[in-house]
Every structure is written in structure tokens, then in C-alpha cells.
Amino acid sequence: MNMNSNNGSVSDNQLIKNKVAASLARRHRQEKLLRGTGLAAVLISLALVSLLFINIFSKGLPAFWQTSITLDIYFDPSVLQISEKPVQRADEHDNAFRQRDLEWRSEVGRINFNRLISTALMDVLPDAEQHRRHVLRMVTSGERFALRDMVINDPSIIGSTQRLHLLTDANIDVWIKGNIDRSLPDHQQQLSPIVRQWADALYANGTIKNRFSFALFMNPDSRSSLASAGLAGAFMGSLFMMLIVMFLAVPLGVAAAIYLEEFAPRNKLTDLIEVNINNLAAVPSIVFGLLGAAVFIGMFNLPMSTPLVGGLVLSLMTLPTVIIATRSSLKAIPPSIRQAALGLGASKMQTIFHHVLPLAIPGILTASILGVAQALGEAAPLLLIGMKSFVATVSVSPMEQSTALPVQIFLWQGNELRNFFEARTSAAIIVLLTLMISLNAVAIWLRKRFEQRW
Amino acid sequence: MKTNSTLKMKAENVRVFYGANEAIKGIDMNVYQNEVLAFIGPSGCGKSTFLRCLNRMNDTIDQCRVTGLIELDGQDMYDPRLDVVQLRAQIGMVFQKPNPFPKSIYDNIAYGPKLHGLASKKSELDDIVESSLQKAGLWKEVKDRLDQPGTGLSGGQQQRLCIARTIAVSPEVILMDEPCSALDPIATSIIEELIDELKANYTIVMVTHNMQQAARVSDRTAFFHMGEMIEIGSTTEMFTKPNNKRTEDYITGRYG
Amino acid sequence: MSNLTLMIVLLAVLAITYQLGLVRTRQIAGHNATLRMHSRPHHYGVMVGLWTVLPAFFIFIIWSWSAPWALNQLLIAQLPEHIVNDPQELRVAIRRISNLAANFGIVSEAATWEIQAATFLSDARQLSQTLMLALMTTVAAAGALYGYRSISPLYRARNHIEKILQIVLVICSSIAVLTTLGIVLSMVGESLRFFSFVSPMDFFFGTTWNPRFSTAGVGEGSLTGDQGSFGMLPLLAGTFLIALVAMSVAIPLGLLAAIYLAEYASPKMRATAKPIIEMLAGIPTIVYGFFALVTVGPFLSMLGAHIGLDIRATSALTAGVVMGIMIIPFISSLSDDIITQVPKSLRDGSLGLGATKSETIRKVVLPAALPGIVGAILLGASRAIGETMIVVLAAGNSPSLTANPFEAVSTITVTIVNQLTGDNDFASPQSLVAFALGLTLFAITLILNVIALVIVRKYREQYE
């Protein structure tokens, strides 16, 4: 009792002071410990972010440039013996013309364009005569279709010589970039010795060069001609799905949020809906994939592997995010605005649509963009509705089979030609991340631009 | 009406800045041992800000800067070598809104002594808890439910719990920042009686928005206005014949 | 007329009738000086427009859903008996006839009955389309007339429109509920089908996961009892093992980072570091999967070799560590919010007693924030359990019952992907098991989420 009473007695005060002082060193050590570990945790987290980005970018950036070989291709008329390109006659029915055109195209398609390529290669490769069968290994197999398309577009180039940059075989890209151990014995190398020699020689004299890889952006996926595999198909698939999410999930979500926030009576039922929506936002994405497989494909018989189904699934997945975010931006509008409008005789509906909603739009927009960005990166549910199947065309409608950027990443990372596709996958990731970051940047910009403090 | 003339704390030319804004504009003040000193003044006049300087609670606010000299027992409180932990153990503080920790009543009181290592045995700690609660006049009401959460008490009880919590670390000075503003009249009068009892052992500096309260419990009163201290003196004198016109206007209710 | 054109026409009609209503209202209002119109002119316009278009639109919807079914029934009645009795043949025949009717080509020569049926179908389609258009036009005209004539000062157009709008809003908000219902019903339905092949006991408590491929159809396999084993326990064990590793990475890092950012960091550092850490949450999980596969896995394996541990490159550890990185922001962000919500008065009370900052955090702030933090951790755990792409790429896909994080494992999500993307028949237990697994996953995450959400909500209310 005595030690705790304080009659200003100096000795008691001193006693307590001493006790406090004795504890100080230990307590300040603990202070430093918590502060230090906290800082360490922040720094580790930041380091992990940068590690992830540095890793992906250092792997992926080189893949935006790809080796191609400069060849003077002679469009030899003796090889290209084809009839004239059909022109629609005045009295000709569309279908008839289309038929003729198709026949002509398949005629062109039957021509062996590889002969043009190998002829041109023979000119630049030393000792090509002895190694005839290796010559075509220099150029990726898809390039013959590029030549075919050139002829189809403009048959008048027949007979001329064109200087073209043709993509080299994927293995040559790997070899020249040093993505394979050059000291490996022959039987472990993917290229025969002569092709490796040629590649080095042509790279040295500038015939083979690293050029910006338009193929990565312009081409669809390819399995036969790996060097020309591109993201165009996946990009279109993702684009269609984003559009569907934008035009389905966003309006539905905003409407639902308006009802729940402004009109719904506060009772057990709305409480249940609220819990349900919050829970739905945390349901694993793969469950939405199962829903899509069972309902959209199993029950409604919608076509598999299409952006339509993918977009529907992603819309359902994004819906709760949009609802929650819209509700919170509606909540943030102060009641004074509502009271002012109601006080002037506006109906509840008018108050909300004329006064509350316009003020909440920046928040809603931001949330919607973030929701769309999240949907853009989602892969798991798409696998379940068949979007992992290989599609070698660029789809032009959401009803056609397609894949999506994240799924393309999944497909490429599993490709057997690891040396080539590790970089290409990373490049695809960079494209995906760039898209997502731009979407996020737009969202942040919108928020900053229209941010209002009450 | 000074009961004691031993100097406990001294402030000289104290200024407080929030960023570029000067909230306290040079205040000189003496605080004497075992007195109750009340700060009054219209809201926003800086009385709470100044009070928080007296145990360096302003340190916790970013951008807040204090200049001038504040001494406790002749020692500079803002001396960088001084440990603020030690200082706050000597100068306790009770806040406007009762803020018991979300812990049991016992743990609320034992919190400070445990931190500072004031008790080496459980029985010592029990003693501290009991005596603190007794001094705060709460012992009878809570002795059978020490293990229940402090947040379950009524507002007035919570505030007395907070006072008991402060007493438990045996401070020399207790600062009270409008301790009754969140309480009903009955709880207020209980706290006021408590303050009267406590001044036998502690020096008490309190902020109040309630002039009658200052008149009832304090020995001396300081009147603050616009970041300045206009007048300080014996409470009876200030309320009967203030020296300054502004003090008079405030006391008579011209503004406030 | 294609559906698109029809929609455009409907929109045009909407615009025209809206204008008509508008003009009419102004007229009436102009004549009537004594009685004010109840609503603004555009309300009447919208009212007329909706009266015209909405009923027609409903007819369109109902027709489009029911007509194909009805036509199909009529068509089947036309077909020879032997075709109708064989479901397989019937499906083929109907497809061929549809193609014929739409003037697409079909493989091989068309039989006479096929051509007859196709002609019938194409005629019936034409008739159905004409009927629908006629009906729509009539209803639209009647609606327009009714709407137009009901314009009067006493008519409360605005209230009616608002009622309709509110109904639309209700329908929209019911979609979220329908989604949940759809998830539960579809998965329960498919799971029940699965449990007709495999007993629930074997599924939930079996310790071997080894489903064969269903190549020879369903019947034979189930007759001989040779359809593989569907014991879920190894998958469950793998799922929880990885989640455990993930949480032991994410909880300390996320929580400590949250504490530092909320309590110690300068506003500037907080403003920089917080969004950067939160970026981790926005990165697609496939990216993490790739990162785990090509970088973290080999690194851990090499590290293991250095210290004499046999760590597989794709293992529970690899997947768990990377998943932990992914979950850091979920925990740090939510905990940060929760810690900053602890009232300042509590901090002041503690500091005023002479506590150091860390004592205040450890003894006052964290205990006060504990329920909220537990909620954040549970949400993070639910995320870890349901995560797919990281584990598909980095967990090794080897369904074994092990507690050793250095070994390859498989999880529920990985198996769902494997079973549904393989070449399995959709009606085989090998495919259907994905739904039973999905249902289990849904149930686990649902429980975690609901507990977490309730805790967090209670916590928020406490300090609001």
C-alpha cells in the first residue's frame, strides 16, 4: 500500500522512477525488434514484387525480338504456274464468284512455296549443295504460307524478286540468343552441326538478325511452326470476353447495387443477399468454371471453347466485385445530397438517377475497370469450359472457338521446346501484365481525376 | 487559495505549431504541487493542445512541433536525453472519452504496472489493483467482477476505471482532458468529488469546458483564448473579479 | 429478318412512340390551363414507348424460347418411326434436316423423307416467324394506342415507370443469388450422378486417388468394378498442406508489413509501399504459376541440394511459397484497414500510461484488432484452398497422402482441371467426380468465408 501512495514523498517517487528506469533498456530493445521485423517484412514483400517483375521481364523482353533471315526471294514463274486471279463479273452471282475464288486460292495453296525459299537459301548458305536436306531447317515452316498469302494478295509479284525477312526456325533463335548450352554434344543439340554453323555464319555477316517480332502480335498460335506462334488469337478471345464482361457484368452489377443500397428494405432477406454476394466474391474462380461447364455448356448447349461462354462465366465471377464496389461508392455519397433532392420534391428514383448516381460514377467506373482487369487475368475457369484447346485461327466473333491470353500462357509454358517458349511465355505475360497495368492506370487516373472529398 | 507553493511544473514561452499554423502562442505558467489547476476557454482556444504538451502526448501527432521550455521538478521535459516513457509514467493522463482497453477490469489496471515492472509478485500486483480502484472510488462496485471486460461498465465507471488505471503507475501529476464531458450529471459529480480527494496525493491539471466545474473543483484557473493564456489566478478571484475584459466577457457568457 | 434487325426495329419503334407521346402530352398540357399534368412530358413519352415495345418484346422472348422446341416436336412427328425410336439416329437426323432446311450442305445424299422433313421444317419456320411478327405488330399497335390514349393530367406516368424500373433492378440483384443457386444446384446434381457410380464413403474417406480413363464407355467399367479409386483424402491432404505452407509464408509477412505500414511508416512510405504490395494481389495467378515453375521451384530444389534436403522442383513447398507471396496483400491490406480502425483513444490511453509504441501495438492494438485479423487470415486461407493455376503448374500433380512439403502433391483444384480437361466422356464418373470435388471445395471455402465475413462485420460494427 505504501509504495503506491504518493504524498509527494521524494523517496517513493524515486523508487518508482528507478523501477521504470530499470525496465527501459529491455523495452526499447523490444521496440526496435518489432519495428525492425516490420520493416523487414515490408522490404521483403517489396523485394518479392520486384523479383517477380525483374524475373519475368528479363526472361520475356528478349522474346520481343526474334531472329529472321534476309532472303532475296525470286517468285519464279516456272514454279508459280497458276491461272489468273478471278475477278467478279458483272452478271455473276456472289456465291458463284466466291466458289471460283476459293478454287483459285486452293490452287495457289497447292504450290510448293518451300522451293522458292530453298532456292533463295541455297544462294546464301555456304556448301549448301552437300547438305540439301538441311537447308529448309533454317526457316520456320510457317513462312511458306506468308509467301502464299503474298501471291494471293498480289499475283503481279510473280516474276519479281523480293527482299524479305523470314523468321528463322525457333531452334536457331534459341541457338543465336545463347538460350541453349553450346557445349552440349551433338546428339543433345536440337540442330544438326551444319545448321548451327550456317546460323553462326549468317548471323556474323548480318543475313540473320534480331528484329522486332511482329509475329508475336499478329499471328495466331501455331504448333507446326513454333517460331511464328503469336498472341493474336488469344488477344481476340480476351477482347471479346472483356467486352462481354463490360456490357453484362457492369450494368447488371450497378443495377443490383442500386437496388440493394437504395431501395431494398433492410430485413433478413436482404441480409442474406448481402452475405451471399460477399461470399460469392470469395468463391474460388474454378467453381465458376464448373458452373459454366454444367449450366452454359451442359444445359444451354452453348458452344464450347468460345469467348461467349467464357465471357458469361467471367461476368458471373466479376458481378459480386462490381456490386460490392458500387455499393460502397453509393454509400460514400453523403445523405445531405439525397435530402436536398428529396426536399425539392424529386422522387426517390429521380434523386438516385439524377443526383446520387452521377456523383458515384467515378467510383463505379474505377471498380468496373478493376473488375474487368481481374477477369482478364483469370485462367482456371476458362480451362474447364474448353478454352485450352489449340486454335490456329484468329476468331472474328465471340461464337468461334478461341483461347485467351492467360490460357495461352498456360499452353505455351507447357510446350516441349522449353528454351524457346520460356521466353515467349514470359513475353506473353508481359503483354498481359501491360494490359492489366494500363487498365489499372486508367482506373487510378479516373479516381484521381474525379475524386471528391466530402 | 494556494495550498502549497512547491513548484511542480514550469512552462516558459511555449509555442506549438501544427505545420505552419501556430496553435499556442507563447505561454508561461507555473504548476504547484498538490493543486488542482483548471484550464477554461472557448473551444479551439488551445487548452487541450497545451495540456497534451505537459506529458508530450503531442509527440504522437505528425507535424506537431513544440518550442519553449517545460520543466518537471526543474528538469527539461523536452530534453532529448529524457525518456518519454519514463516521463509519461510520472505524468499520467485521463482523456475526454473514457477509453478502457478491451480487457478485463483487472488487466486494465494492471496494464501500466506490468509494463513498468512495478510489481515483482502477483500479490503486489493485486495490491496495486485494489488500492488504485479504491482511490478511484470504484473498488466497491467492481471487486466481485474484476475478470469482466472494462468496456462493460457504465460511462462514469469507465472514466473512474481510467483514472484508476492512471493512478496505478503512481504518477506525480495527473492531466485530465475534459474528463466529464462525455458523462451524465451524476457521474460527473462523482468524478468531481474524486478529484477533490485525489489532490491530497497528486497534482492535477484539468481542461474543462464547464466553468461551473472549474469553479467547483479547481484551486486556480487559467483562461485561454485564441492560443494565448489571457489570465491565470485563484479560481475564486477569477470568477468574482477577473482582471481582463475578455475573461470577464467569457465568464459572464458573452461568448463561448 | 434476323434477331438483330428486329431489335433495331424495336428500338426505332420505341424512339418514335416516345416522340408521339411527348407531342401528345404537350398538346394536352397546352389545351389544359387549369389542370397541370401529373408528370413531366418525357415520362409520358417513355410510358407510351414502353407500352408499345415491352409486350412485343416479351412475346419475342417467349416465342424464341418455345418455338424451336415446338417445331422440333412437330418435326419428330413427321419422321419415320425407326428413326424416332433411336435417340442417336434421331439426333443425327435432326441435325441433317436442320442443315438442309437452312440450305447448308450435308454429307452424303439426302433421303426423300429427309428432304420432305426439311421442306416442312423450313415452311414451318417461315410460318412461325410470320406469326410471331404479326402477333408482335398487333400487340405493339394495341399497346401504343392504349398508352397514347391514357395520356391525361391525372395519369401518374412517372410512378408507373419507376415501378417498372424498380422491378428491373430487383431482377438484376437476383442474378447474384441465382448464381449461387446455380452453383449449388448444378454441382449437387452432377455430384449425385457421380455418387450413383461411387459411394460417398469411398469418395470422402478413400485414401487412394487413381481414376482410370473412361475410354470404353461407362457401363462396362462399372459392371466389372474396374473404374479406378476415387478416394478424396490424398487431394484434401495436398490442398491443406499447400495452404498451410502458403499461410506460414503469408501470415508473418503480411501481418508484420501491415503493422509496420499502419503504425510506423511515414505517410510517404505508406503511400508508396502499400500500392506496390497490393500489386501482388492483381497479378494473374497463371503468372505466379509460371514464376513458381521456372524460378522458385528450381531455386528451392537447388537450395535443398545444398543443405542436403531432397526437394522436388514441383512440390507442395514450391506451390505453397509462391501462393504465400500471392496472399501477402490479402492479409496485409485487410489487416492494415483493421489496425487503423482501432480507435486512437485506445492508443492514447496506452501511450499516456507510458507504454512504448510496440507495447501499445502488441498489448492493446493487436488484441483489439484480433477478430478482424483472424477474419483476414481465414479469407486468405480460403483463397489458398481454392487457388488453381499455381498448383496446376507447380505442385507436381502426384496424388499421394503425404505430410512432407518437399514432395509433389495434388490438390482438389488440380484434379478438377485434370478430370474435366482430359479426354473423358462427360457422363463418366471420371468427369463427374470433378463436380463432387467442386462441391467439396465450395463447401470448405463457403464455411471459411462465412465465418470470416461474420467476424469482420462484427468487428467493424464494434468500432463504427
Side-chain angles (χ1 to χ4, degrees), chain B residues 9-232:
Chain B
M9 298 180 83
K10 189 173 90 175
E12 258 174 34
N13 192 24
V14 172
R15 290 167 195 278
V16 179
F17 301 88
Y18 288 113
N21 180 23
E22 190 174 12
I24 299 288
K25 298 164 180 165
I27 288 184
D28 299 311
M29 180 186 286
N30 288 341
V31 182
Y32 299 98
Q33 184 124 21
N34 294 63
E35 72 167 343
V36 176
L37 172 62
F39 294 173
I40 60 170
S43 54
C45 66
K47 53 191 192 301
S48 286
T49 304
F50 184 69
L51 186 77
R52 290 170 70 93
C53 292
L54 298 182
N55 74 341
R56 291 182 56 179
M57 277 306 278
N58 281 334
D59 288 13
T60 62
I61 300 171
D62 293 326
Q63 300 195 327
C64 178
R65 200 159 49 84
V66 180
T67 65
L69 177 74
I70 305 180
E71 285 182 354
L72 172 69
D73 294 331
Q75 198 198 359
D76 180 6
M77 274 172 47
Y78 281 79
D79 185 340
R81 282 164 301 177
L82 184 88
D83 199 309
V84 68
V85 168
Q86 176 115 42
L87 177 76
R88 289 191 190 137
Q90 281 170 278
I91 305 177
M93 185 150 190
V94 176
F95 296 85
Q96 189 169 1
K97 220 178 116 208
N99 57 351
F101 302 134
K103 299 171 183 283
S104 72
I105 294 172
Y106 184 95
D107 286 337
N108 260 286
I109 310 290
Y111 178 75
K114 269 194 206 159
L115 288 181
H116 298 304
L118 299 186
S120 48
K121 293 196 292 278
K122 175 85 168 75
S123 61
E124 278 180 33
L125 199 59
D126 290 347
D127 285 346
I128 295 178
V129 170
E130 185 181 337
S131 72
S132 308
L133 283 170
Q134 255 164 0
K135 282 186 195 165
L138 198 59
W139 175 247
K140 284 198 191 103
E141 292 158 61
V142 301
K143 64 173 190 246
D144 300 324
R145 45 175 176 147
L146 290 175
D147 55 344
Q148 282 175 21
T151 44
L153 297 172
S154 74
Q157 288 174 322
Q158 286 190 10
Q159 195 61 301
R160 278 183 282 152
L161 181 69
C162 293
I163 293 174
R165 188 173 72 185
T166 310
I167 295 173
V169 284
S170 306
E172 295 158 34
V173 181
I174 300 176
L175 309 177
M176 297 186 177
D177 188 358
E178 304 199 20
C180 303
S181 66
L183 304 181
D184 61 70
I186 295 171
T188 302
S189 71
I190 295 175
I191 302 265
E192 285 177 3
E193 279 168 33
L194 176 60
I195 292 172
D196 210 42
E197 286 166 24
L198 289 175
K199 82 177 181 191
N201 296 329
Y202 308 95
T203 308
I204 296 172
V205 183
M206 67 184 289
V207 166
T208 176
H209 64 291
N210 178 338
M211 276 179 289
Q212 283 73 33
Q213 185 171 58
R216 282 192 299 267
V217 300
S218 70
D219 302 318
R220 290 196 306 143
T221 300
F223 173 63
F224 282 67
H225 187 242
M226 308 273 285
E228 286 171 72
M229 189 177 73
I230 307 298
E231 191 174 346
I232 183 166

Side-chain angles (χ1 to χ4, degrees), chain A residues 200-279:
Chain A
D200 284 337
L202 293 191
Y203 188 62
N205 72 20
T207 311
I208 289 182
K209 245 192 185 151
N210 254 323
R211 291 192 177 81
F212 186 76
S213 170
F214 289 101
L216 183 63
F217 296 95
M218 310 303 287
N219 290 358
D221 195 11
S222 171
R223 274 184 188 174
S224 51
S225 170
L226 298 179
S228 38
L231 290 170
F235 179 80
M236 285 309 283
S238 282
L239 185 69
F240 284 129
M241 287 194 286
M242 271 164 62
L243 289 176
I244 291 174
V245 171
M246 248 181 248
F247 287 104
L248 210 61
V250 172
L252 280 178
V254 171
I258 291 175
Y259 177 74
L260 292 174
E261 192 59 40
E262 306 283 347
F263 291 101
R266 298 268 172 267
N267 58 25
K268 278 261 182 298
L269 185 70
T270 39
D271 223 37
L272 191 73
I273 295 179
E274 171 143 14
V275 170
N276 169 44
I277 289 173
N278 283 332
N279 176 59

